[in-house]
Amino acid sequence: MTNLLSNSDARRVFLAKQGLSAPPNRALTKAGLLQLIHELGFVQVDSIQTVERAHHQILFSRNQTYRREHLTALLEKDGALFEHWTHDASILPSAFFVYWKHKFLHQEKVLIERWRKWRGEGFEAAFEETYERVRRDGAILSRDIKADGHVSGGWWNWHPNKTALEYFWHTGKFAIAGRSNFQKIYDLAERVIPTEFREPEVSREEFVDWACRSALTRLGFATHGEISAFWNLVSPDEAKAWVSTHRDELIEVLIEPALGGKARPSWAFADFLSTLDTYPGAPPRIRVLSPFDPMIRDRNRTERLFGFFYRIEIFVPEPKREYGYYVFPLLEGDRLIGRIDMKADRKKSTLDVKRLWLEPGVKPSAGRLERLEAELERLVRFAGLEKVVFLEGWRG
């Protein structure tokens, strides 16, 4: 029997799994925020603040009552969240920390050799000194122990103590206790992560099962490659073996692509089709997504499900950019309808809209432009600005 999932049903399921189908103005408590992040799995952290930092915008796009101070408390006071790496630096529920220990072990094996090629022999000379300093004196910023005369630069020019701090963070000895002007504050993991989230130890088999099962739960349907890529914790071969081992719990579904063509075989849990009606449709309003939104992190999946090709052009030379340095996707209901180039001018307290691009077939109707302006006004208030300014030529 062939289980064909229509493209509209596939989008509906995935948007619901991504927290984009719940009422966006329902009251979000601190406990509700923790639950939201748990359901998403991770929220990417990025330093670029064209309008608002990525993690804040990701959460705001799902709920307009989101409060930054709740996130800070969950991270820095309650120990309910921690920062580490998935594909990129992310905020994660501390309940996942025991599974990340397997990532730490892997990092210990590969980082020393990789960083030795980068930094040269003897780069780890400051490791013991740095660890003892943090153990003895407590939480620290890298600038507090910078070597005299060292000229700061990017990651390629870390001073030795900064390298040590990052190594101990990547390998789970240190954790991020907070941030000061977005700079990490490092401390011993046992002083940051509560004991109940550091124990008990889980076996490699339990770890792989959790990584694959939790990924498929959050994706709804996926290939073994997508299961592997969700957390970036297990290899495609491990995910493929997990699927094979758990075939009695899974069904194969064919996912209809947005732009036609061959349906893509994917895996889902056995009760998937019987629960399709439980997934609500996405609200019809327009929402501005962060370029780092988890919904569009897998660019190929985004293109298949939504017919929307998206790339961040930060590292593309300006003359070769198709759109712009930092362009935001626009979600309307269950469709990605375009993208917008805009930037906060903090001195003038304005959100300056430079350019709007709508997808082919998406008309700039009066109602659609009103919905866009309403979303921009919400974003203005969230970013602490005063008004939206549409610059000359913004419609293209």
Side-chain angles (χ1 to χ4, degrees):
M1 178 182 175
T2 300
N3 300 310
L4 179 65
L5 189 67
S6 71
N7 181 255
S8 60
D9 279 345
R11 292 199 311 268
R12 179 166 55 85
V13 169
F14 186 51
L15 287 169
K17 292 285 188 182
Q18 282 293 308
L20 287 162
S21 296
N25 54 2
R26 74 196 187 283
L28 186 67
T29 62
K30 187 173 73 167
L33 175 61
L34 178 59
Q35 180 64 27
L36 173 60
I37 295 172
H38 192 281
E39 291 169 357
L40 290 175
F42 61 89
V43 175
Q44 188 171 332
V45 177
D46 193 82
S47 60
I48 297 173
Q49 195 173 7
T50 303
V51 175
E52 184 53 87
R53 295 204 192 279
H55 46 294
H56 293 313
Q57 187 170 350
I58 289 166
L59 295 167
F60 175 75
S61 66
R62 285 153 176 79
N63 191 294
Q64 272 78 62
T65 73
Y66 159 66
R67 295 169 60 183
R68 297 173 186 80
E69 57 267 31
H70 283 164
L71 185 68
T72 301
L74 289 166
L75 274 165
E76 300 181 13
K77 181 181 177 183
D78 303 345
L81 298 171
F82 76 107
E83 281 192 43
H84 218 273
W85 281 80
T86 53
H87 334 79
D88 297 281
S90 298
I91 294 168
L92 298 143
S94 294
F96 300 167
F97 190 84
V98 289
Y99 302 107
W100 250 252
K101 286 184 176 183
H102 287 267
K103 186 179 183 73
F104 303 152
L105 289 172
H106 176 72
Q107 293 288 76
E108 283 185 7
K109 295 175 183 177
V110 301
L111 279 187
I112 285 290
E113 289 306 315
R114 186 188 301 164
W115 288 13
R116 187 172 286 131
K117 292 178 183 177
W118 158 45
R119 295 302 302 266
E121 291 290 338
F123 81 90
E124 63 267 55
F127 278 26
E128 185 176 343
E129 167 202 347
T130 304
Y131 186 89
E132 180 57 27
R133 170 78 179 270
V134 174
R135 187 199 66 77
R136 183 186 69 240
D137 299 339
I140 200 168
L141 287 151
S142 63
R143 68 182 182 219
D144 295 333
I145 52 174
K146 186 168 75 172
D148 291 341
H150 182 86
V151 179
S152 296
W155 61 267
W156 61 89
N157 195 32
W158 287 344
H159 59 79
N161 299 104
K162 167 67 173 177
T163 305
L165 291 170
E166 283 291 306
Y167 175 80
F168 288 129
W169 175 50
H170 278 276
T171 56
K173 306 294 191 302
F174 289 171
I176 306 304
R179 284 182 179 262
S180 175
N181 295 323
F182 208 67
Q183 287 195 326
K184 299 189 204 74
I185 302 171
Y186 303 84
D187 202 352
L188 297 182
E190 55 264 37
R191 293 202 287 243
V192 177
I193 311 295
T195 303
E196 64 264 30
F197 299 132
R198 291 184 281 110
E199 301 173 353
E201 300 295 324
V202 297
S203 68
R204 180 73 190 181
E205 183 180 359
E206 290 171 319
F207 160 70
V208 171
D209 181 64
W210 175 86
C212 295
R213 191 176 297 276
S214 60
L216 185 55
T217 297
R218 286 163 177 80
L219 289 167
F221 50 85
T223 65
H224 66 263
E226 290 170 338
I227 291 171
S228 166
F230 183 81
W231 300 111
N232 195 30
L233 289 175
V234 298
S235 70
D237 284 344
E238 285 177 309
K240 189 174 184 178
W242 179 84
V243 168
S244 178
T245 302
H246 294 85
R247 280 292 284 114
D248 60 331
E249 297 180 57
L250 306 173
I251 58 169
E252 190 173 35
V253 291
L254 296 175
I255 311 300
E256 181 184 34
L259 300 179
K262 190 176 180 180
R264 186 179 181 85
S266 295
W267 299 103
F269 287 113
D271 65 348
F272 177 70
L273 295 176
S274 65
T275 61
L276 275 181
D277 291 342
T278 66
Y279 295 100
R285 69 160 61 183
I286 288 178
R287 280 183 271 193
V288 175
L289 300 182
S290 163
F292 298 104
D293 195 287
M295 185 204 125
I296 58 170
R297 190 207 62 77
D298 186 333
R299 308 301 195 208
N300 293 329
R301 184 178 171 102
T302 301
E303 194 168 357
R304 285 196 306 275
L305 287 182
F306 297 92
F308 187 78
F309 179 85
Y310 182 75
R311 298 292 184 271
I312 296 177
E313 298 182 297
I314 293 171
F315 301 112
V316 176
E318 188 170 356
K320 295 184 178 181
R321 288 177 189 151
E322 184 178 0
Y323 296 106
Y325 173 78
Y326 197 82
V327 174
F328 301 84
L330 297 174
L331 178 69
E332 182 181 42
D334 68 348
R335 298 171 65 201
L336 286 163
I337 61 163
R339 58 206 89 202
I340 189 168
D341 187 3
M342 58 187 181
K343 185 175 183 179
D345 186 326
R346 298 288 170 183
K347 291 182 179 178
K348 295 180 180 177
S349 196
T350 59
L351 178 62
D352 295 344
V353 177
K354 301 177 182 179
R355 182 75 187 272
L356 170 70
W357 297 267
L358 295 177
E359 290 290 278
V362 177
K363 297 180 180 179
S365 64
R368 177 165 283 130
L369 293 178
E370 285 176 7
R371 289 193 292 277
L372 174 61
E373 191 165 354
E375 171 70 355
L376 296 179
E377 291 290 350
R378 287 188 286 267
L379 198 54
V380 158
R381 291 191 292 273
F382 180 67
L385 304 170
E386 292 181 3
K387 64 178 180 178
V388 180
V389 174
F390 294 94
L391 302 183
E392 185 177 353
W394 73 277
R395 291 279 297 276

